[in-house]
Amino acid sequence: MEQLYTVNQLAEELGITPRALRFYEVKGLLAPNRVGNNRVYTKRDRARLKLILRGKRLGFSLAEIREYLDLYNVNGGVEQQKNLLKRVQKRLKDLAQQREDLEATVQELRDIEEQVNNTLAELKTAAKDS
């Protein structure tokens, strides 16, 4: 028998609110099963939620997170696998570009930080000499 999680159990385990779980359901990112009137989540749902939370933490939009989750749902034939491969390759290319852009931005900010620190040091020295 598969382990099932209630809304409260899963929310508590992953450090989120039950309301956040419901939000992801409304957005179509999670689709829990029902046992009577209660929503229950499987280990697969738990894994999806962990991916959602990781994507959110990394700054991805819900649309990007949905696309990422869809990659895990492809179990089809050759054409589906080729499509999956194209999507994965495009995503890798996009992420590589984002990494380059981020590294450039970090370097620019470090340069600005160094310039400001130098200016402050010069102003401090000038104030002492006055």
Side-chain angles (χ1 to χ4, degrees), residues 50-68:
K50 288 176 87 172
L51 290 171
I52 292 166
L53 296 173
R54 180 184 303 151
K56 182 180 170 209
R57 189 174 63 250
L58 294 173
F60 290 104
S61 69
L62 290 181
E64 290 169 322
I65 292 170
R66 181 186 325 280
E67 180 179 323
Y68 184 68

Side-chain angles (χ1 to χ4, degrees), residues 19-121:
R19 184 176 179 194
L21 274 173
R22 289 183 194 97
F23 174 78
Y24 295 130
E25 290 172 27
V26 168
K27 295 298 181 181
L29 297 173
L30 290 174
N33 295 315
R34 293 247 179 218
V35 174
N37 290 329
N38 297 317
R39 294 189 321 273
V40 293
Y41 300 87
T42 63
K43 284 186 177 183
R44 186 175 193 283
D45 294 325
R46 182 180 172 273
R48 283 180 65 87
L49 182 57
K50 288 176 87 172
L51 290 171
I52 292 166
L53 296 173
R54 180 184 303 151
K56 182 180 170 209
R57 189 174 63 250
L58 294 173
F60 290 104
S61 69
L62 290 181
E64 290 169 322
I65 292 170
R66 181 186 325 280
E67 180 179 323
Y68 184 68
L69 291 172
D70 289 345
L71 297 178
Y72 285 90
N73 290 333
V74 177
N75 295 323
V78 173
E79 289 305 313
Q80 285 179 309
Q81 293 299 313
K82 286 180 181 178
N83 184 39
L84 171 60
L85 180 60
K86 286 179 187 176
R87 291 174 68 187
V88 167
Q89 289 170 335
K90 181 183 182 325
R91 188 70 182 133
L92 287 170
K93 182 180 174 184
D94 292 346
L95 288 172
Q97 183 62 53
Q98 287 177 350
R99 178 186 289 158
E100 287 178 28
D101 294 344
L102 182 59
E103 288 171 358
T105 301
V106 167
Q107 187 57 51
E108 288 174 19
L109 289 171
R110 285 188 177 137
D111 292 345
I112 293 168
E113 178 185 41
E114 182 180 354
Q115 290 171 3
V116 171
N117 281 329
N118 290 340
T119 300
L120 289 172

